[in-house]
Amino acid sequence: MTNNEKPDVQLLINLEQQILTLYQQDKKIAQYTVSTAKNGIGSQQDSGCTPLGKHIIAEKIGGSAPINAVFIGRVPTGEIYSTSLGMQYPERDWILSRILWLSGLEEGINKGSNNQGGCDTYERYIYIHGTPDSEPMGIPCSHGCIRMRSQDVIELFEQVDKGAAVTIVAS
């Protein structure tokens, strides 16, 4: 698949509404409830915040993984998430099913660094990824990433290509 096969695909993530909207040729194709950072809006390294601005999907990871496959360091562990696995490892920040790794496009805002230090979305490992069904959606709960239901992130993953535009707005 190339970008030519999916022309003008764009994602818009609204942090106030906790909604991700998929557009194709400026037409709304799908909308998903998400969960963004519990710490709010921000781009600084180690802030635990979700960055604003223009991004692209830099990497797509896990295309052939089963639903609820567990990833650590972007590598499938071979585990499939279950409630009992979640109780066994309560400290884990579960990254499940698919990963869309974001890269910022705006120097000093979400790319590179600024006078406060690193602010690079890609180097901060900010993803759109699946999360357990037990985790709430529609309220900020993540460590900076954009969390989605596993079924939703799999559906989204199939509709976007590497290089697709992603814009994150406050409201």
Side-chain angles (χ1 to χ4, degrees):
M1 289 186 286
T2 67
N3 283 332
N4 295 338
E5 292 176 43
K6 296 176 185 147
D8 294 328
V9 170
Q10 298 176 35
L11 300 179
L12 177 65
I13 300 166
N14 183 308
L15 301 184
E16 181 181 30
Q17 295 177 356
Q18 297 290 292
I19 296 284
L20 182 155
T21 306
L22 169 66
Y23 293 93
Q24 188 167 18
Q25 296 176 323
D26 296 325
K27 180 181 171 213
K28 187 193 306 185
I29 302 297
Q31 196 165 53
Y32 305 96
T33 303
V34 298
S35 176
T36 62
K38 181 165 63 172
N39 289 352
I41 296 167
S43 60
Q44 294 311 124
Q45 187 71 37
D46 302 322
S47 66
C49 295
T50 300
L52 294 177
K54 295 180 190 303
H55 295 81
I56 59 165
I57 295 171
E59 307 287 340
K60 291 178 62 174
I61 300 166
S64 60
I67 190 168
N68 292 324
V70 175
F71 291 83
I72 295 179
R74 297 158 308 285
V75 177
T77 65
E79 300 164 302
I80 302 296
Y81 182 84
S82 65
T83 304
S84 60
L85 187 66
M87 291 183 346
Q88 189 177 348
Y89 299 102
E91 73 288 351
R92 284 197 197 171
D93 179 21
W94 297 100
I95 297 174
L96 306 180
S97 303
R98 302 288 184 275
I99 298 169
L100 297 169
W101 191 354
L102 302 181
S103 183
L105 298 176
E106 299 169 290
E107 195 69 43
I109 295 172
N110 56 32
K111 182 179 178 74
S113 60
N114 57 30
N115 61 3
Q116 298 171 333
C119 65
D120 196 290
T121 297
Y122 187 82
E123 291 179 10
R124 290 181 59 216
Y125 304 102
I126 300 296
Y127 316 136
I128 300 168
H129 67 80
T131 199
D133 286 343
S134 57
E135 291 296 308
M137 286 291 126
I139 59 172
C141 287
S142 84
H143 299 134
C145 288
I146 295 92
R147 294 178 178 173
M148 298 180 73
R149 292 278 169 248
S150 281
Q151 193 61 54
D152 290 348
V153 79
I154 289 170
E155 183 179 300
L156 179 66
F157 190 95
E158 297 303 319
Q159 297 180 78
V160 298
D161 287 325
K162 194 171 157 179
V166 179
T167 304
I168 304 173
V169 298
S171 61

